[in-house]
Amino acid sequence: EQNLHQVKENIAAACRRSGRNPDEVRIVAVTKYVDLETTRRALDAGLTHIGESRAQEAVPKWEQLGDRGIWHFIGHLQSNKAKAVAGRFTYVHSLDRFSLAKELNRRSEAAGRPTRCFVQVNVSGEASKHGLDPVEVKEFVEQAAEFPYLQLEGLMTMAPFTEDPEEARPVFRRLKELQRELQQSGASGTALPHLSMGMSRDYQVAVEEGATFVRLGSVLVGEAYPKQR
Ligand SMILES: *Cc1c(COP(=O)(O)O)cnc(C)c1O
């Protein structure tokens, strides 16, 4: 609860600095590091969005707690795990290829529930990161928009892991620009109202640059994060 209070204050301050409304920013509590009890306590503390990144660990937690809260699959998703995720997770933040879109659509239809998706973009261009090259995103979004059981919510990115959160700013700014470019193109699927960006280290910068979902693990449910102010 203390961590959540501090995070909310920091988000409010970032919103004041950038002229945004804090109600636009949703916190996804990333519980991948912690056990079922701690996940339950996050829900008890009033967090409603829960993020997990590995299907094997997430599904058993969802079996216990899935009726409380809104579940987000934030990690890289193998197509053979789409079946486990569809119908359970309201959101997938890591849609990054056509074969996954096709399979997730098929499994969501079978589960009788569409999946809300973020298209993951590799803005920083690091070889170690998943996600589409920014130049590929428009065509991909147009293709993904054809799948009736995928609802395209927005774009997601992960910034490079650096000491100084300011180094993440150009990455977040570029994702926001890409969102605008797509929206202005008017192509199908490009309404894309949301931006999933910002983690424990850099969420305050991400909020300043327009994040509407921040994905927070360590600062919320992990050990108190050393950089937390
Ligand atoms: C683990 C993870 C997070 C949360 O990381 P923290 O730095 O602990 O906040 C956010 N997004 C993704 C995709 C993750 O895998």
Side-chain angles (χ1 to χ4, degrees):
E1 277 171 12
Q2 278 175 7
N3 289 348
L4 178 56
H5 180 76
Q6 184 64 59
V7 162
K8 282 182 173 167
E9 281 198 350
N10 290 345
I11 289 174
C15 285
R16 278 196 298 277
R17 289 194 293 275
S18 53
R20 298 188 61 204
N21 176 354
D23 294 342
E24 293 169 10
V25 184
R26 291 172 212 174
I27 299 167
V28 179
V30 177
T31 50
K32 66 182 183 192
Y33 312 110
V34 299
D35 62 10
L36 183 69
E37 264 327 296
T38 310
T39 305
R40 194 191 308 276
R41 277 165 49 210
L43 288 159
D44 291 343
L47 287 155
T48 51
H49 295 275
I50 299 294
E52 285 280 335
S53 62
R54 291 168 57 106
Q56 303 93 298
E57 289 152 25
V59 171
K61 279 186 188 167
W62 180 90
E63 299 289 354
Q64 299 292 320
L65 300 171
D67 56 341
R68 303 184 54 191
I70 299 164
W71 288 65
H72 297 246
F73 194 89
I74 62 169
H76 179 63
L77 184 56
Q78 291 170 283
S79 295
N80 64 6
K81 299 282 163 45
K83 182 171 191 266
V85 167
R88 294 188 171 104
F89 286 77
T90 305
Y91 290 87
V92 165
H93 289 239
S94 49
L95 188 68
D96 64 354
R97 59 200 189 278
F98 186 77
S99 55
L100 176 61
K102 194 173 168 193
E103 183 63 4
L104 192 59
N105 177 67
R106 187 166 85 87
R107 296 298 184 177
S108 300
E109 181 170 14
R113 184 179 167 196
T115 302
R116 299 182 178 195
C117 295
F118 285 89
V119 174
Q120 183 169 353
V121 187
N122 184 358
V123 175
S124 64
E126 288 167 282
S128 61
K129 287 215 164 28
H130 293 287
L132 291 157
D133 189 296
V135 301
E136 300 169 331
V137 174
K138 181 160 175 277
E139 191 184 345
F140 178 76
V141 165
E142 286 176 311
Q143 290 172 344
E146 299 289 313
F147 291 114
Y149 277 82
L150 302 183
Q151 288 175 10
L152 299 180
E153 293 286 329
L155 305 177
M156 177 275 213
T157 200
M158 291 175 75
F161 190 74
T162 56
E163 270 301 304
D164 181 2
E166 278 302 322
E167 288 180 34
R169 191 181 295 279
V171 170
F172 299 144
R173 192 165 284 180
R174 180 71 192 106
L175 197 70
K176 177 77 196 177
E177 270 171 23
L178 184 61
Q179 179 195 37
R180 280 208 198 94
E181 287 164 18
L182 291 165
Q183 288 170 340
Q184 282 165 7
S185 79
S188 62
T190 59
L192 302 170
H194 290 291
L195 291 177
S196 167
M197 58 189 196
M199 303 174 31
S200 292
R201 208 169 265 272
D202 53 26
Y203 69 100
Q204 301 175 66
V205 174
V207 168
E208 288 173 11
E209 297 299 330
T212 62
F213 285 85
V214 289
R215 308 178 309 268
L216 304 179
S218 336
V219 273
L220 273 182
V221 296
E223 299 156 69
Y225 204 69
K227 282 276 161 70
Q228 175 83 353
R229 290 183 287 262

